Amino acid sequence: MTSAPVYTPYDDTTKPFSIGLTALDPDKWIEPDGDLNAFLAEKDRLASDHFSEIFYSEDTSHAAQQECLEIVVNHLLDRHGHIYKRHGDTVQFAGRTIDLADPATLPLLKAGSLVQDDLVILQKRDTGWHLTAGYVAFPSAWSLPEKAGLPMEGVHAHVPGFEGGTRNAMMINRIFDNLQPDLPAVRMNWSIYPSGDLFWPPERGARMEGRPFTPASNFIRIERQTLRRLPETGNIVFTIRIYSDPIGVLKALPGGSQTAKTLAARLEGLTPEQLAYKGMVSKKNALLAYLRANK
């Protein structure tokens, strides 16, 4: 039986390219599932072959990294104890063991090796909130080395409506300033990708340009993004969890035809700048025709 998508943010009333943050139950912060081993195996491969592309750390972030590790471990043990077990300084899960006391491994690497999510540390400076550490194995067409150390205006420099000086850019900094440790937040992002592969650096999308486009073989890539304030350091942990759903499977599910038509309406409502950011200018008409077809 084909499983339904876990999240369908294109099927609600939240406008694309809006901040769209909502309160998140802390118990639902991290969501390990049956794909845990597959995600972590891919993280292992990327850490071996592409380490400088997926990990970044500034010395000033080490205390926040350690606090992040501790809060991730406590959450996993408290809420997902059927998967994770602690024995002294080690956490054992899914046939793996993470040594929490290993001095040779930075805390954010340990934390990211426990979960399917990517993890980013955001630190407040005089010039705003900066990206000071990140374990981003599964980027959605963006580059961690290019964003490393930048304030949020720099991180979002090419996102329509979020550039420096925009209302959204100012609101993001205000939201970060007011985020409370016991009140995490969540938002969803989505786009259309040629495959369900997790590792999608920007140059990979560039290589796909000009190739034949078949809508039915594409995937809806969902990013579940959360923000959580660390109570001791005051820094913020930004998490990104990827879900990929084949468009063809979506249409085949009960109610899938209507969901596909809603997705088509979302696509049709995007501005030229938003379509360009999502890499769908040349694909829009073919996607709309496919999503609106009865079969």
Side-chain angles (χ1 to χ4, degrees):
M1 181 178 177
T2 300
S3 58
V6 178
Y7 294 106
T8 56
Y10 43 84
D11 196 24
D12 63 24
T13 57
T14 302
K15 291 178 62 177
F17 292 89
S18 63
I19 294 175
L21 280 170
T22 59
L24 173 65
D25 181 348
D27 289 346
K28 298 178 180 178
W29 180 38
I30 304 291
E31 301 180 327
D33 59 23
D35 292 325
L36 178 62
N37 272 325
F39 274 66
L40 294 181
E42 180 66 353
K43 282 191 177 186
D44 291 344
R45 182 188 73 81
L46 293 166
S48 175
D49 298 343
H50 300 271
F51 186 77
S52 64
E53 297 175 54
I54 69 168
F55 191 79
Y56 173 76
S57 171
E58 295 183 10
D59 291 345
T60 59
S61 72
H62 288 182
Q65 290 188 42
Q66 182 61 39
E67 189 179 5
C68 173
L69 174 61
E70 292 168 2
I71 199 170
V72 166
V73 168
N74 290 337
H75 173 83
L76 296 175
L77 295 174
D78 290 346
R79 307 308 307 172
H80 304 284
H82 61 293
I83 300 174
Y84 299 87
K85 307 294 182 184
R86 182 161 186 169
H87 301 278
D89 286 330
T90 66
V91 174
Q92 297 179 359
F93 66 106
R96 295 167 172 262
T97 299
I98 300 296
D99 183 356
L100 302 178
D102 177 12
T105 305
L106 285 169
L108 197 64
L109 270 174
K110 298 173 190 175
S113 298
L114 289 163
V115 297
Q116 290 155 270
D117 308 61
D118 287 333
L119 304 174
V120 173
I121 299 293
L122 304 174
Q123 188 171 357
K124 182 66 179 291
R125 293 177 174 165
D126 291 342
T127 49
W129 289 89
H130 288 247
L131 193 165
T132 59
Y135 187 0
V136 183
F138 310 135
S140 296
W142 65 282
S143 167
L144 178 61
E146 290 180 4
K147 306 297 184 182
L150 294 180
M152 289 300 97
E153 291 84 351
V155 171
H156 295 136
H158 302 294
V159 182
F162 286 79
E163 306 90 337
T166 61
R167 181 174 180 272
N168 281 337
M170 292 185 285
M171 284 183 63
I172 285 174
N173 280 290
R174 193 175 306 127
I175 289 167
F176 287 7
D177 288 343
N178 294 323
L179 191 67
Q180 299 300 309
D182 56 344
L183 295 172
V186 63
R187 72 182 297 271
M188 299 289 177
N189 196 14
W190 63 269
S191 194
I192 309 295
Y193 277 66
S195 82
D197 293 350
L198 293 167
F199 181 55
W200 205 271
E203 61 270 18
R204 184 168 183 190
R207 291 197 298 268
M208 301 297 293
E209 291 296 326
R211 296 189 181 184
F213 177 66
T214 306
S217 65
N218 279 244
F219 286 70
I220 308 171
R221 184 180 177 101
I222 309 295
E223 291 180 300
R224 178 184 183 265
Q225 305 173 352
T226 78
L227 293 164
R228 184 162 189 166
R229 189 72 167 263
L230 298 172
E232 298 297 326
T233 61
N235 294 169
I236 291 173
V237 179
F238 176 53
T239 75
I240 312 163
R241 167 68 193 280
I242 301 297
Y243 296 85
S244 289
D245 302 308
I247 290 181
V249 169
L250 172 68
K251 289 194 66 175
L253 292 168
S257 177
Q258 183 56 48
T259 301
K261 290 184 169 82
T262 302
L263 175 56
R266 291 288 185 175
L267 284 171
E268 196 160 46
L270 295 177
T271 67
E273 294 79 14
Q274 292 168 346
L275 284 167
Y277 179 77
K278 288 180 177 287
M280 290 191 286
V281 172
S282 63
K283 305 169 186 175
K284 174 185 172 181
N285 290 338
L287 278 167
L288 290 177
Y290 173 75
L291 290 168
R292 286 170 171 160
N294 290 329
K295 292 185 179 180

